[in-house]
Amino acid sequence: MKTLAPQERNSFADSASMLLRVALSSPAKAWGIRELSRMAGTSPALTILSLRQLQRVGLASRESPTEARFLDPVQLLRDWAAWYAMKPVKYYRFSIDGVADPNTILNLLSKCRDRLPGPWALTCMAGASLVAPFATFSEVHIHLPRADQLRRSWQDVLHLTPNKLGPIHLIEPYYADSGTYGAQVVRKLPVVSEIQLYLDCYRYPVRGREQAEHILSQVLMPRWRNVR
């Protein structure tokens, strides 16, 4: 199967990626173009353009002029993750005096959840530990749109100290809008969707790809068994 060429990769850009997030919630479905556009919040023109790009590399097919089907969601997700791994993500790193254990940090986040501003959610290995536990982890990554503006409030609530080697990462996500789609609450903690978890774990340097594949095999693929 062909992979998307660099000039075609806008199918994975922020607004266009909403199409993939919606479609991968039910990839066996023959999606109406207008229905998919409405649910993804994109224009029909962008939807058709993205589908054409994916169709050229065998990841989508047009069932009719008004319907399309996504093919091979596993390959689609892996292509997406390989592209996403090259994109910059800005983050701010902190520590808490006397607290290094990641599970203790998660407990603190749970207690302070309602006082922490922004549509935040756990991601990377800490998020994966709540959804599909596999690898041990020592850092807590927090998906936080507008982290640059909100970090001061987080510092005040959690008594965070800026530390380049600290275990707490506030991430200014690449997907400022679509990255929050499908966020869930697990054990009283917000966690990004399994799709976003896969993308973030895939780029994580220490056992991240193993963790990503565990999410794929244990959570996502069982949902996709009926995809032709």
Side-chain angles (χ1 to χ4, degrees):
M1 179 179 292
K2 296 179 181 178
T3 58
L4 290 172
Q7 67 270 21
E8 296 176 314
R9 288 178 172 175
N10 58 324
S11 294
F12 301 139
D14 198 355
S15 58
S17 81
M18 274 299 298
L19 297 168
L20 305 183
R21 296 174 194 274
V22 171
L24 289 177
S25 67
S26 184
K29 178 178 178 177
W31 287 92
I33 304 298
R34 292 192 177 277
E35 177 192 15
L36 182 58
S37 298
R38 184 183 70 254
M39 292 183 66
T42 58
S43 68
L46 176 59
T47 300
I48 291 170
L49 175 62
S50 296
L51 286 169
R52 283 176 180 167
Q53 292 166 345
L54 295 171
Q55 189 175 5
R56 284 200 294 271
V57 294
L59 294 174
S61 67
R62 293 294 294 273
E63 303 291 290
S64 74
T66 59
E67 285 188 333
R69 191 183 298 273
F70 288 77
L71 308 175
D72 199 348
V74 172
Q75 186 61 49
L76 173 57
L77 186 58
R78 286 176 174 157
D79 283 357
W80 184 1
W83 177 86
Y84 177 70
M86 305 300 293
K87 296 300 172 183
V89 173
K90 188 175 184 179
Y91 61 91
Y92 305 91
R93 200 162 176 176
F94 301 92
S95 60
I96 302 176
D97 289 345
V99 179
D101 175 61
N103 288 303
T104 302
I105 295 171
L106 294 184
N107 288 333
L108 181 59
L109 289 171
S110 179
K111 290 177 182 177
C112 298
R113 174 185 166 188
D114 294 336
R115 296 166 55 204
L116 294 168
W120 67 277
L122 293 169
T123 190
C124 292
M125 308 299 269
S129 74
L130 298 175
V131 173
F134 178 70
T136 58
F137 65 103
S138 58
E139 299 175 328
V140 175
H141 291 76
I142 299 162
H143 183 282
L144 180 63
R146 299 187 297 116
D148 183 53
Q149 301 172 41
L150 298 175
R151 57 186 167 132
R152 301 294 182 188
S153 297
W154 276 68
Q155 287 180 245
D156 292 342
V157 172
L158 297 174
H159 305 293
L160 301 175
T161 300
N163 184 340
K164 292 182 179 179
L165 299 177
I168 301 171
H169 302 243
L170 297 184
I171 300 174
E172 183 87 43
Y174 177 76
Y175 288 123
D177 298 319
S178 63
T180 58
Y181 178 83
Q184 57 203 303
V185 176
V186 183
R187 289 188 238 165
K188 299 182 180 180
L189 282 166
V191 182
V192 297
S193 70
E194 288 89 355
I195 295 293
Q196 189 62 45
L197 268 181
Y198 181 92
L199 297 175
D200 288 333
C201 287
Y202 185 93
R203 65 185 293 156
Y204 189 74
V206 183
R207 302 197 70 188
R209 293 195 182 181
E210 293 175 68
Q211 177 67 72
E213 290 302 310
H214 185 72
I215 294 167
L216 178 62
S217 66
Q218 298 301 309
V219 180
L220 294 171
M221 288 179 68
R223 299 177 187 168
W224 297 343
R225 282 178 181 153
N226 296 326
V227 181
R228 60 179 172 86

